[in-house]
Amino acid sequence: GHLCLSLLSETFDPNIPEEGPSVPPPGWLDDIHGYQGHKGEREFFGPSLLSLSTVCVFLCILSTRVPTVSEDVARDALLKFVESKWRYSSKPARNLTFKELSPITVYRYRLETYTESRTSTWKFEPYNVDGPEYGTPPPPWDVPVTLPDIYTDVVMKVRVPHTSFIKVCHTCHGCGRTRCVSCFGRGMVRTFSFRCTFCHGHGHRRCISCHGRGFKTCHLCQGSQNLLHYILLTVTWKNNISEHIPDRQPDFPDEKFEQVTGDAFFVDESLLVYPIQGFPEQEICEVSRRLIADHLNRFSSNCRILQQVHFFVYGTENKVFASKYPSACTIL
């Protein structure tokens, strides 16, 4: 037993620090021009505010290409619908007598605002330095990035140029290794049985976690003793969509409109679109004004608005909805 205790005192190294937190302590990192006050957590950068002119675009759509549905087209669509429902009989659809075939025009108004937002956070890794001595770090909105296809959702992570610098690892304090927490840096752990086959009755055995060394390679710097710190910029492009479908038939579910593509018979696209006025249905004008104002309030302060588009869509697929077949049905 005395021999084991002597071995423990020889392998313990008090100069090896205990394993610390992975996040750098406050004040550990220097300020970078354009990123002052970065505390290590994710930092958000807002663009310059946009203003929407009070000038309105007056639209007067006198006629729209609303398709007509004949009895033959309606019957064919109904038969296809019935064939997709194994519990429905096709006989009522084949022998159906049309008493009324009334078209109902439902406009689907859609506003899309394509935005770009940027956030940054400190990162660290084994190093290859590109520090401020190689140039002035560009501000967040001047970091060059490749613009993706318009109206597609993309997230890109970019290292900010000239923000890299080397610091001593804050976990091992430049030692490259940390004290083993399983054996407290002694290389041996106590056993609780004098008949233990691993310690041969000495009451201690070699620590499995550190293989008896009393320390481990620092998991953060991987033994290199230093870390490369840099600012990582996260650029998010997102297509923000708002849609409105006037309620023309209370028993017709709105989600059915999402299953048809249809044709866009009016499209207006610009950096900032303007509310519609002069449309035959006043509800569409009011919705256009409300949704555009909502998008401007939500996105102009924390994102860069790249493009907006709004349009009307109507379906032409002749899809059928019949919750009360064969008594009634709707063709979309």
Side-chain angles (χ1 to χ4, degrees):
H2 176 74
L3 179 61
C4 286
L5 292 176
S6 176
L7 179 61
L8 295 180
S9 62
E10 290 177 357
T11 58
F12 177 74
D13 187 352
N15 294 321
I16 299 179
E18 295 182 355
E19 185 175 356
S22 299
V23 179
W28 187 261
L29 303 177
D30 300 330
D31 277 339
I32 296 292
H33 179 72
Y35 298 83
Q36 289 91 341
H38 221 300
K39 304 277 192 308
E41 67 272 10
R42 186 168 299 277
E43 188 81 6
F44 175 81
F45 296 95
S48 58
L49 293 179
L50 297 172
S51 60
L52 181 63
S53 172
T54 56
V55 178
C56 296
V57 173
F58 287 84
L59 297 175
C60 185
I61 302 178
L62 299 178
S63 62
T64 56
R65 298 181 294 108
V66 178
T68 58
V69 178
S70 64
E71 290 188 3
D72 291 338
V73 172
R75 191 185 306 276
D76 183 62
L78 185 57
L79 284 171
K80 290 180 180 179
F81 167 75
V82 171
E83 290 172 358
S84 67
K85 307 292 183 180
W86 66 274
R87 292 188 303 172
Y88 287 4
S89 171
S90 61
K91 185 176 180 180
R94 288 196 305 268
N95 300 329
L96 179 66
T97 299
F98 289 89
K99 293 184 177 180
E100 183 182 7
L101 191 60
S102 57
I104 299 176
T105 301
V106 178
Y107 300 102
R108 179 169 54 161
Y109 175 79
R110 185 183 181 99
L111 172 66
E112 298 184 8
T113 299
Y114 194 54
T115 59
E116 175 184 341
S117 60
R118 299 191 177 194
T119 58
S120 67
T121 184
W122 279 110
K123 300 293 289 185
F124 43 80
E125 63 180 35
Y127 52 89
N128 179 18
V129 182
D130 174 23
E133 64 271 19
Y134 295 100
T136 302
W141 286 99
D142 290 341
V143 176
V145 295
T146 302
L147 187 67
D149 293 337
I150 197 74
Y151 302 121
T152 57
D153 293 348
V154 177
V155 177
M156 181 184 299
K157 295 184 181 294
V158 183
R159 182 186 296 188
V160 179
H162 314 315
T163 61
S164 303
F165 58 88
I166 296 175
K167 293 277 290 186
V168 170
C169 177
H170 53 271
T171 293
C172 67
H173 302 287
C175 186
R177 52 190 183 180
T178 56
R179 193 181 306 163
C180 178
V181 297
S182 297
C183 65
F184 303 101
R186 300 184 180 279
M188 304 290 286
V189 295
R190 185 181 300 276
T191 60
F192 297 95
S193 173
F194 289 101
R195 296 181 181 180
C196 175
T197 57
F198 293 99
C199 69
H200 304 289
H202 295 300
H204 295 85
R205 62 174 174 82
R206 184 183 299 273
C207 177
I208 299 176
S209 181
C210 66
H211 305 288
R213 295 179 297 175
F215 62 86
K216 292 182 178 181
T217 301
C218 176
H219 74 281
L220 209 58
C221 68
Q222 300 176 3
S224 65
Q225 303 178 353
N226 297 301
L227 288 173
L228 173 73
H229 295 261
Y230 59 91
I231 293 180
L232 185 68
L233 188 70
T234 301
V235 186
T236 304
W237 291 278
K238 183 174 178 56
N239 194 29
N240 305 274
I241 300 174
S242 294
E243 196 169 60
H244 176 78
I245 302 172
D247 190 6
R248 291 291 180 269
Q249 287 186 309
D251 60 340
F252 188 84
D254 285 349
E255 60 267 18
K256 293 297 180 181
F257 284 99
E258 300 175 0
Q259 302 173 10
V260 296
T261 54
D263 291 333
F265 65 84
F266 164 77
V267 178
D268 180 27
E269 186 173 16
S270 181
L271 173 63
L272 289 176
V273 296
Y274 299 101
I276 293 172
Q277 290 193 9
F279 193 75
E281 291 196 20
Q282 184 58 37
E283 180 179 356
I284 293 295
C285 299
E286 176 60 27
V287 166
S288 174
R289 184 199 62 77
R290 177 171 54 82
L291 291 184
I292 290 176
D294 175 65
H295 278 215
L296 190 64
N297 290 333
R298 280 198 290 155
F299 306 130
S300 63
S301 61
N302 56 16
C303 301
R304 173 185 287 172
I305 295 179
L306 303 178
Q307 195 81 354
Q308 280 187 320
V309 60
H310 58 167
F311 49 87
F312 302 100
V313 176
Y314 65 90
T316 58
E317 283 92 341
N318 290 336
K319 289 183 177 291
V320 172
F321 171 73
S323 60
K324 301 176 181 179
Y325 176 81
S327 62
C329 68
T330 301
I331 298 177
L332 182 59

mmCIF file of all heavy atoms in Angstrom, residues 139-167:
data_model
loop_
_atom_site.group_PDB
_atom_site.id
_atom_site.type_symbol
_atom_site.label_atom_id
_atom_site.label_comp_id
_atom_site.label_asym_id
_atom_site.label_seq_id
_atom_site.Cartn_x
_atom_site.Cartn_y
_atom_site.Cartn_z
ATOM 1 N N PRO A 139 -17.281 45.916 -42.548
ATOM 2 C CA PRO A 139 -18.504 45.859 -41.728
ATOM 3 C C PRO A 139 -19.384 44.693 -42.169
ATOM 4 O O PRO A 139 -19.230 44.173 -43.284
ATOM 5 C CB PRO A 139 -19.177 47.213 -42.004
ATOM 6 C CG PRO A 139 -18.090 48.090 -42.519
ATOM 7 C CD PRO A 139 -17.141 47.198 -43.260
ATOM 8 N N PRO A 140 -20.322 44.282 -41.301
ATOM 9 C CA PRO A 140 -21.142 43.093 -41.603
ATOM 10 C C PRO A 140 -21.834 43.140 -42.958
ATOM 11 O O PRO A 140 -21.866 42.127 -43.676
ATOM 12 C CB PRO A 140 -22.164 43.066 -40.459
ATOM 13 C CG PRO A 140 -21.483 43.776 -39.345
ATOM 14 C CD PRO A 140 -20.626 44.829 -39.965
ATOM 15 N N TRP A 141 -22.359 44.310 -43.352
ATOM 16 C CA TRP A 141 -23.120 44.373 -44.603
ATOM 17 C C TRP A 141 -22.221 44.601 -45.813
ATOM 18 O O TRP A 141 -22.711 44.681 -46.939
ATOM 19 C CB TRP A 141 -24.203 45.446 -44.521
ATOM 20 C CG TRP A 141 -25.333 45.010 -43.652
ATOM 21 C CD1 TRP A 141 -25.545 45.338 -42.353
ATOM 22 C CD2 TRP A 141 -26.400 44.125 -44.007
ATOM 23 N NE1 TRP A 141 -26.668 44.717 -41.865
ATOM 24 C CE2 TRP A 141 -27.225 43.973 -42.859
ATOM 25 C CE3 TRP A 141 -26.753 43.453 -45.173
ATOM 26 C CZ2 TRP A 141 -28.363 43.181 -42.851
ATOM 27 C CZ3 TRP A 141 -27.895 42.649 -45.162
ATOM 28 C CH2 TRP A 141 -28.682 42.521 -44.017
ATOM 29 N N ASP A 142 -20.885 44.698 -45.591
ATOM 30 C CA ASP A 142 -19.950 44.827 -46.707
ATOM 31 C C ASP A 142 -19.171 43.552 -46.962
ATOM 32 O O ASP A 142 -18.343 43.502 -47.868
ATOM 33 C CB ASP A 142 -18.965 45.979 -46.432
ATOM 34 C CG ASP A 142 -19.637 47.344 -46.495
ATOM 35 O OD1 ASP A 142 -20.737 47.417 -47.097
ATOM 36 O OD2 ASP A 142 -19.086 48.307 -45.946
ATOM 37 N N VAL A 143 -19.395 42.518 -46.149
ATOM 38 C CA VAL A 143 -18.732 41.232 -46.388
ATOM 39 C C VAL A 143 -19.288 40.629 -47.677
ATOM 40 O O VAL A 143 -20.500 40.429 -47.794
ATOM 41 C CB VAL A 143 -18.952 40.272 -45.200
ATOM 42 C CG1 VAL A 143 -18.339 38.912 -45.498
ATOM 43 C CG2 VAL A 143 -18.361 40.857 -43.924
ATOM 44 N N PRO A 144 -18.444 40.354 -48.653
ATOM 45 C CA PRO A 144 -18.968 39.844 -49.943
ATOM 46 C C PRO A 144 -19.509 38.426 -49.814
ATOM 47 O O PRO A 144 -18.872 37.549 -49.232
ATOM 48 C CB PRO A 144 -17.741 39.893 -50.859
ATOM 49 C CG PRO A 144 -16.563 39.819 -49.939
ATOM 50 C CD PRO A 144 -16.978 40.515 -48.673
ATOM 51 N N VAL A 145 -20.691 38.220 -50.345
ATOM 52 C CA VAL A 145 -21.309 36.895 -50.394
ATOM 53 C C VAL A 145 -21.944 36.723 -51.774
ATOM 54 O O VAL A 145 -22.217 37.700 -52.469
ATOM 55 C CB VAL A 145 -22.391 36.700 -49.298
ATOM 56 C CG1 VAL A 145 -21.762 36.732 -47.914
ATOM 57 C CG2 VAL A 145 -23.477 37.752 -49.418
ATOM 58 N N THR A 146 -22.149 35.476 -52.153
ATOM 59 C CA THR A 146 -22.782 35.175 -53.438
ATOM 60 C C THR A 146 -24.290 35.078 -53.243
ATOM 61 O O THR A 146 -24.770 34.258 -52.454
ATOM 62 C CB THR A 146 -22.248 33.848 -54.009
ATOM 63 O OG1 THR A 146 -20.825 33.949 -54.160
ATOM 64 C CG2 THR A 146 -22.872 33.560 -55.366
ATOM 65 N N LEU A 147 -25.027 35.927 -53.936
ATOM 66 C CA LEU A 147 -26.483 35.954 -53.796
ATOM 67 C C LEU A 147 -27.090 34.695 -54.411
ATOM 68 O O LEU A 147 -26.774 34.346 -55.555
ATOM 69 C CB LEU A 147 -27.058 37.188 -54.481
ATOM 70 C CG LEU A 147 -28.553 37.462 -54.278
ATOM 71 C CD1 LEU A 147 -28.821 37.822 -52.827
ATOM 72 C CD2 LEU A 147 -29.026 38.588 -55.194
ATOM 73 N N PRO A 148 -27.944 33.975 -53.683
ATOM 74 C CA PRO A 148 -28.566 32.777 -54.249
ATOM 75 C C PRO A 148 -29.682 33.141 -55.217
ATOM 76 O O PRO A 148 -29.970 34.322 -55.454
ATOM 77 C CB PRO A 148 -29.129 32.068 -52.999
ATOM 78 C CG PRO A 148 -29.427 33.191 -52.055
ATOM 79 C CD PRO A 148 -28.371 34.234 -52.294
ATOM 80 N N ASP A 149 -30.317 32.127 -55.768
ATOM 81 C CA ASP A 149 -31.461 32.356 -56.638
ATOM 82 C C ASP A 149 -32.553 33.096 -55.873
ATOM 83 O O ASP A 149 -32.812 32.809 -54.700
ATOM 84 C CB ASP A 149 -32.017 31.028 -57.174
ATOM 85 C CG ASP A 149 -31.041 30.340 -58.119
ATOM 86 O OD1 ASP A 149 -30.181 31.045 -58.691
ATOM 87 O OD2 ASP A 149 -31.132 29.114 -58.281
ATOM 88 N N ILE A 150 -33.193 34.054 -56.548
ATOM 89 C CA ILE A 150 -34.192 34.884 -55.899
ATOM 90 C C ILE A 150 -35.345 34.040 -55.372
ATOM 91 O O ILE A 150 -35.729 33.026 -55.976
ATOM 92 C CB ILE A 150 -34.710 35.977 -56.874
ATOM 93 C CG1 ILE A 150 -35.433 37.092 -56.124
ATOM 94 C CG2 ILE A 150 -35.550 35.369 -57.970
ATOM 95 C CD1 ILE A 150 -34.546 37.998 -55.370
ATOM 96 N N TYR A 151 -35.887 34.415 -54.217
ATOM 97 C CA TYR A 151 -37.026 33.770 -53.544
ATOM 98 C C TYR A 151 -36.727 32.331 -53.121
ATOM 99 O O TYR A 151 -37.615 31.492 -53.068
ATOM 100 C CB TYR A 151 -38.281 33.811 -54.422
ATOM 101 C CG TYR A 151 -38.682 35.216 -54.811
ATOM 102 C CD1 TYR A 151 -38.764 35.600 -56.142
ATOM 103 C CD2 TYR A 151 -38.955 36.181 -53.848
ATOM 104 C CE1 TYR A 151 -39.117 36.897 -56.506
ATOM 105 C CE2 TYR A 151 -39.305 37.474 -54.194
ATOM 106 C CZ TYR A 151 -39.378 37.831 -55.529
ATOM 107 O OH TYR A 151 -39.717 39.106 -55.871
ATOM 108 N N THR A 152 -35.452 32.024 -52.832
ATOM 109 C CA THR A 152 -35.094 30.719 -52.282
ATOM 110 C C THR A 152 -34.527 30.917 -50.883
ATOM 111 O O THR A 152 -33.833 31.904 -50.611
ATOM 112 C CB THR A 152 -34.059 29.995 -53.156
ATOM 113 O OG1 THR A 152 -32.889 30.830 -53.293
ATOM 114 C CG2 THR A 152 -34.631 29.689 -54.536
ATOM 115 N N ASP A 153 -34.817 29.986 -49.975
ATOM 116 C CA ASP A 153 -34.343 30.063 -48.599
ATOM 117 C C ASP A 153 -32.954 29.428 -48.511
ATOM 118 O O ASP A 153 -32.787 28.233 -48.805
ATOM 119 C CB ASP A 153 -35.306 29.347 -47.654
ATOM 120 C CG ASP A 153 -36.653 30.049 -47.559
ATOM 121 O OD1 ASP A 153 -36.753 31.195 -48.030
ATOM 122 O OD2 ASP A 153 -37.598 29.456 -47.017
ATOM 123 N N VAL A 154 -31.963 30.212 -48.100
ATOM 124 C CA VAL A 154 -30.576 29.747 -48.025
ATOM 125 C C VAL A 154 -29.926 30.329 -46.768
ATOM 126 O O VAL A 154 -30.192 31.479 -46.398
ATOM 127 C CB VAL A 154 -29.770 30.184 -49.280
ATOM 128 C CG1 VAL A 154 -28.310 29.748 -49.159
ATOM 129 C CG2 VAL A 154 -30.379 29.605 -50.547
ATOM 130 N N VAL A 155 -29.083 29.528 -46.100
ATOM 131 C CA VAL A 155 -28.278 29.995 -44.975
ATOM 132 C C VAL A 155 -26.804 29.756 -45.322
ATOM 133 O O VAL A 155 -26.421 28.653 -45.694
ATOM 134 C CB VAL A 155 -28.638 29.265 -43.666
ATOM 135 C CG1 VAL A 155 -27.713 29.720 -42.529
ATOM 136 C CG2 VAL A 155 -30.092 29.526 -43.286
ATOM 137 N N MET A 156 -25.981 30.810 -45.219
ATOM 138 C CA MET A 156 -24.563 30.715 -45.554
ATOM 139 C C MET A 156 -23.747 31.251 -44.384
ATOM 140 O O MET A 156 -24.091 32.265 -43.786
ATOM 141 C CB MET A 156 -24.267 31.530 -46.821
ATOM 142 C CG MET A 156 -22.816 31.487 -47.269
ATOM 143 S SD MET A 156 -22.516 32.571 -48.708
ATOM 144 C CE MET A 156 -23.621 31.820 -49.907
ATOM 145 N N LYS A 157 -22.648 30.559 -44.052
ATOM 146 C CA LYS A 157 -21.747 30.988 -42.982
ATOM 147 C C LYS A 157 -20.421 31.407 -43.611
ATOM 148 O O LYS A 157 -19.825 30.657 -44.377
ATOM 149 C CB LYS A 157 -21.537 29.874 -41.959
ATOM 150 C CG LYS A 157 -22.815 29.513 -41.203
ATOM 151 C CD LYS A 157 -22.564 28.472 -40.139
ATOM 152 C CE LYS A 157 -23.853 28.103 -39.410
ATOM 153 N NZ LYS A 157 -24.396 29.209 -38.635
ATOM 154 N N VAL A 158 -19.973 32.630 -43.274
ATOM 155 C CA VAL A 158 -18.786 33.218 -43.879
ATOM 156 C C VAL A 158 -17.869 33.740 -42.782
ATOM 157 O O VAL A 158 -18.323 34.432 -41.862
ATOM 158 C CB VAL A 158 -19.168 34.379 -44.833
ATOM 159 C CG1 VAL A 158 -17.933 34.942 -45.503
ATOM 160 C CG2 VAL A 158 -20.182 33.913 -45.874
ATOM 161 N N ARG A 159 -16.575 33.419 -42.870
ATOM 162 C CA ARG A 159 -15.611 33.988 -41.942
ATOM 163 C C ARG A 159 -15.319 35.426 -42.361
ATOM 164 O O ARG A 159 -14.977 35.688 -43.504
ATOM 165 C CB ARG A 159 -14.324 33.174 -41.934
ATOM 166 C CG ARG A 159 -13.286 33.695 -40.946
ATOM 167 C CD ARG A 159 -11.979 32.968 -41.041
ATOM 168 N NE ARG A 159 -12.128 31.560 -40.687
ATOM 169 C CZ ARG A 159 -11.097 30.717 -40.535
ATOM 170 N NH1 ARG A 159 -9.869 31.156 -40.733
ATOM 171 N NH2 ARG A 159 -11.323 29.455 -40.225
ATOM 172 N N VAL A 160 -15.456 36.353 -41.419
ATOM 173 C CA VAL A 160 -15.216 37.767 -41.731
ATOM 174 C C VAL A 160 -13.716 37.976 -41.955
ATOM 175 O O VAL A 160 -12.905 37.633 -41.076
ATOM 176 C CB VAL A 160 -15.718 38.678 -40.597
ATOM 177 C CG1 VAL A 160 -15.430 40.140 -40.916
ATOM 178 C CG2 VAL A 160 -17.217 38.467 -40.382
ATOM 179 N N PRO A 161 -13.317 38.504 -43.103
ATOM 180 C CA PRO A 161 -11.881 38.705 -43.372
ATOM 181 C C PRO A 161 -11.232 39.626 -42.344
ATOM 182 O O PRO A 161 -11.847 40.559 -41.827
ATOM 183 C CB PRO A 161 -11.877 39.354 -44.773
ATOM 184 C CG PRO A 161 -13.182 38.973 -45.387
ATOM 185 C CD PRO A 161 -14.158 38.891 -44.249
ATOM 186 N N HIS A 162 -9.961 39.336 -42.058
ATOM 187 C CA HIS A 162 -9.103 40.178 -41.210
ATOM 188 C C HIS A 162 -9.624 40.300 -39.780
ATOM 189 O O HIS A 162 -9.390 41.322 -39.112
ATOM 190 C CB HIS A 162 -8.946 41.573 -41.820
ATOM 191 C CG HIS A 162 -8.640 41.581 -43.280
ATOM 192 N ND1 HIS A 162 -7.699 40.753 -43.853
ATOM 193 C CD2 HIS A 162 -9.176 42.303 -44.306
ATOM 194 C CE1 HIS A 162 -7.652 40.972 -45.162
ATOM 195 N NE2 HIS A 162 -8.549 41.888 -45.457
ATOM 196 N N THR A 163 -10.324 39.299 -39.276
ATOM 197 C CA THR A 163 -10.760 39.323 -37.871
ATOM 198 C C THR A 163 -10.081 38.225 -37.049
ATOM 199 O O THR A 163 -10.429 38.020 -35.890
ATOM 200 C CB THR A 163 -12.289 39.151 -37.762
ATOM 201 O OG1 THR A 163 -12.672 37.873 -38.327
ATOM 202 C CG2 THR A 163 -13.029 40.262 -38.486
ATOM 203 N N SER A 164 -9.114 37.517 -37.630
ATOM 204 C CA SER A 164 -8.492 36.382 -36.947
ATOM 205 C C SER A 164 -7.318 36.838 -36.074
ATOM 206 O O SER A 164 -6.556 37.719 -36.458
ATOM 207 C CB SER A 164 -7.991 35.358 -37.964
ATOM 208 O OG SER A 164 -9.040 34.911 -38.795
ATOM 209 N N PHE A 165 -7.191 36.241 -34.905
ATOM 210 C CA PHE A 165 -6.012 36.440 -34.075
ATOM 211 C C PHE A 165 -5.867 35.248 -33.127
ATOM 212 O O PHE A 165 -6.826 34.524 -32.842
ATOM 213 C CB PHE A 165 -6.067 37.757 -33.282
ATOM 214 C CG PHE A 165 -7.261 37.876 -32.378
ATOM 215 C CD1 PHE A 165 -7.231 37.389 -31.081
ATOM 216 C CD2 PHE A 165 -8.426 38.480 -32.825
ATOM 217 C CE1 PHE A 165 -8.332 37.498 -30.254
ATOM 218 C CE2 PHE A 165 -9.528 38.603 -32.006
ATOM 219 C CZ PHE A 165 -9.484 38.116 -30.713
ATOM 220 N N ILE A 166 -4.624 35.037 -32.660
ATOM 221 C CA ILE A 166 -4.304 33.877 -31.829
ATOM 222 C C ILE A 166 -4.304 34.292 -30.364
ATOM 223 O O ILE A 166 -3.776 35.337 -29.991
ATOM 224 C CB ILE A 166 -2.935 33.298 -32.215
ATOM 225 C CG1 ILE A 166 -2.976 32.758 -33.652
ATOM 226 C CG2 ILE A 166 -2.522 32.188 -31.259
ATOM 227 C CD1 ILE A 166 -1.637 32.279 -34.146
ATOM 228 N N LYS A 167 -4.919 33.454 -29.538
ATOM 229 C CA LYS A 167 -4.908 33.645 -28.090
ATOM 230 C C LYS A 167 -4.551 32.316 -27.434
ATOM 231 O O LYS A 167 -4.838 31.240 -27.971
ATOM 232 C CB LYS A 167 -6.274 34.094 -27.584
ATOM 233 C CG LYS A 167 -6.685 35.482 -28.036
ATOM 234 C CD LYS A 167 -6.105 36.569 -27.161
ATOM 235 C CE LYS A 167 -6.733 36.577 -25.783
ATOM 236 N NZ LYS A 167 -6.281 37.731 -24.972
#
